[in-house]
Amino acid sequence: MAKKGDRRVVPGSNRRKGRVESSTRQVPAGDSASSNRRLIVIFFIFFIVSPALSILVYRFKYSPDTNRTDSYVYQRGLVKPDVTYQEILAENTRVSENTSARHYTYPVLAYITPWNSRGHDSAKRFNSKFTHLSPVWYDLKSQGSNLILEGRHNADGGWISDLMMAGDALVLPRVVLEAFPEELLTKKKQRSRAINLIVNECKEMGYDGIVLESWSRWAAYGILHDPSMRNSALQFIKQLGHAMHSVTSEGNNKQPLQLVYVIGPAHSEKLQEHDFGPKDLKNLGDAVDGFSLMTYDFSGPHKPGPNAPLKWISSTMELLLGSTSNGVQNLAHKIFLGINFYGNDFSLSDGRGGGAITGSEYLSLLEKHGPVLQWENNSGEHLFFYSDDNHVNHAVFYPTLLSISIRLEEARNWGCGISIWEIGQGLDYFFDLL
């Protein structure tokens, strides 16, 4: 969903480079034993004590709060930097008996794709962990001079009924706005038609609202560089939000329909013209119920690296919320900070290549290659390397309990919710953290 960033962290770039250099001065014979003892002490400190202290710091910093002590993964001491592939293979399907207990108290939005049945099952099994569920079902498209909303054939009424029986999570299908923006945003009838299609679908299908994705497509069309068109784009979102708020949901205790809007991260250290920034956030603050921020896909096949470096996530939030003087800090609670439940398997050959992997593919790689997982401090992610059957070296980045835990802590510090892309690609024990 997200665009790739221009910056990346090279795997292992912050690894300790401690070493002992030999002395060039002459050591008297009587001092030889003392010198050897000093070298042993130095070696012990650099290579034994320092790594151990690093692990202890992480364990102390991210030790479970009192409201998480009933979580199986914390009870078993699995949230740690020095995790092994054997532990992951043995423990990934084991979760707390009480799957309804919530440990992350801010809103949790989970995406579910129609091509991944695990997501549908996880949404039912761990329903109480989520406040919002967004099945990826709809596209709003141009058809000649008309508009059509495609995707009802994806909707699974039986599954929605099961969700309602399982818990209270709201169902907000994702709608991707693929209609030609020049037509949609400049013609009043087109805007009204689009809004009516969306609102009527929610009423007829009993949805609690929608998740709308359009900003990245508008940016690709160059719409957001034109101040007049950008204003029209923002006005359309506001008009849609107000229209949805005027309709009550059948299943959400007669509450107004909700609108969650998808936004991407900035691609550089400063906001560009097409980026969604603090002014846009403030402009839409009253009309939109939440903003799904895609803080993942930082790296790609041509720039192998971590999926979502922690410092990048933090800087993205700083850019979005801006300074305290612009009046948007109080909207942090409307942000759903993006967390990936998928990983990447990158080829490190000259041609580069590779791409996203799911949890089952990740487990297969662990079982086949038995790698040593490395914790990368700078990005806050685990990775491992392996060589395939053609002797091509690969780097694999996939979330672990610790990497997810510290991102939950980052979101908690901002006072915001999280959005997960997507739950069918994760491992079962990830949900123990939520």
Side-chain angles (χ1 to χ4, degrees), residues 110-112 119 122-123 130 133 341 420-426 431:
Y111 288 99
I112 304 102
S122 296
F130 315 116
L133 292 168
F341 268 22
I420 303 169
W421 185 272
E422 54 93 13
I423 58 173
Q425 298 178 5
F431 298 101

Side-chain angles (χ1 to χ4, degrees), residues 305-319:
N307 295 318
L310 195 59
K311 291 180 180 178
W312 172 68
I313 293 175
S314 181
S315 65
T316 297
M317 287 293 289
E318 289 172 1
L319 283 173

Side-chain angles (χ1 to χ4, degrees), residues 15 23 39 64 220 300 330 374 381 391 431:
R15 292 186 196 139
S23 174
L39 288 173
N330 63 337
Q374 303 176 29
E381 295 187 19
H391 308 292
F431 298 101

Side-chain angles (χ1 to χ4, degrees), residues 112-252:
I112 304 102
T113 55
W115 52 86
N116 196 332
S117 61
R118 279 182 57 85
H120 292 77
D121 295 337
S122 296
K124 290 189 292 185
R125 182 182 180 190
F126 302 104
N127 186 283
S128 297
K129 301 282 188 179
F130 315 116
T131 55
H132 301 70
L133 292 168
S134 183
V136 180
W137 284 344
Y138 289 94
D139 300 288
L140 198 154
K141 299 179 177 181
S142 297
Q143 189 177 68
S145 60
N146 200 7
L147 294 173
I148 57 170
L149 183 62
E150 291 185 348
R152 184 179 285 197
H153 65 279
N154 290 319
D156 186 338
W159 177 69
I160 294 176
S161 297
D162 291 342
L163 292 178
M164 294 175 66
M165 294 291 291
D168 298 322
L170 306 179
V171 177
L172 287 75
R174 190 190 70 171
V175 177
V176 176
L177 203 57
E178 296 185 351
F180 298 130
E182 293 89 348
E183 295 285 320
L184 176 67
L185 300 177
T186 59
K187 296 183 178 180
K188 184 178 179 180
K189 287 186 177 180
Q190 286 272 329
R191 294 196 302 272
S192 298
R193 169 68 174 162
I195 291 170
N196 288 336
L197 283 171
I198 291 171
V199 172
N200 288 337
E201 189 72 5
C202 289
K203 291 195 294 186
E204 292 176 17
M205 298 298 291
Y207 301 142
D208 299 302
I210 67 157
V211 173
L212 181 69
E213 182 172 348
S214 66
W215 196 265
S216 60
R217 294 177 182 274
W218 288 342
Y221 274 99
I223 293 299
L224 304 174
H225 294 81
D226 182 331
S228 177
M229 289 297 292
R230 187 190 189 100
N231 182 62
S232 295
L234 292 170
Q235 288 303 315
F236 169 75
I237 299 169
K238 291 169 72 172
Q239 189 179 350
L240 173 61
H242 293 317
M244 296 189 70
H245 292 163
S246 68
V247 177
T248 57
S249 167
E250 290 297 323
N252 184 21

Side-chain angles (χ1 to χ4, degrees), residues 260-312:
V260 173
Y261 191 64
V262 178
I263 56 176
H267 300 158
S268 59
E269 294 181 358
K270 293 184 178 181
L271 289 172
Q272 304 301 307
E273 278 186 309
H274 60 273
D275 288 328
F276 189 96
K279 291 182 179 178
D280 305 305
L281 185 64
K282 186 175 183 179
N283 197 332
L284 299 179
D286 292 333
V288 174
D289 299 284
F291 298 87
S292 180
L293 177 60
M294 300 186 290
T295 39
Y296 32 73
D297 282 354
F298 178 82
S299 304
H302 299 292
K303 284 185 178 181
N307 295 318
L310 195 59
K311 291 180 180 178
W312 172 68

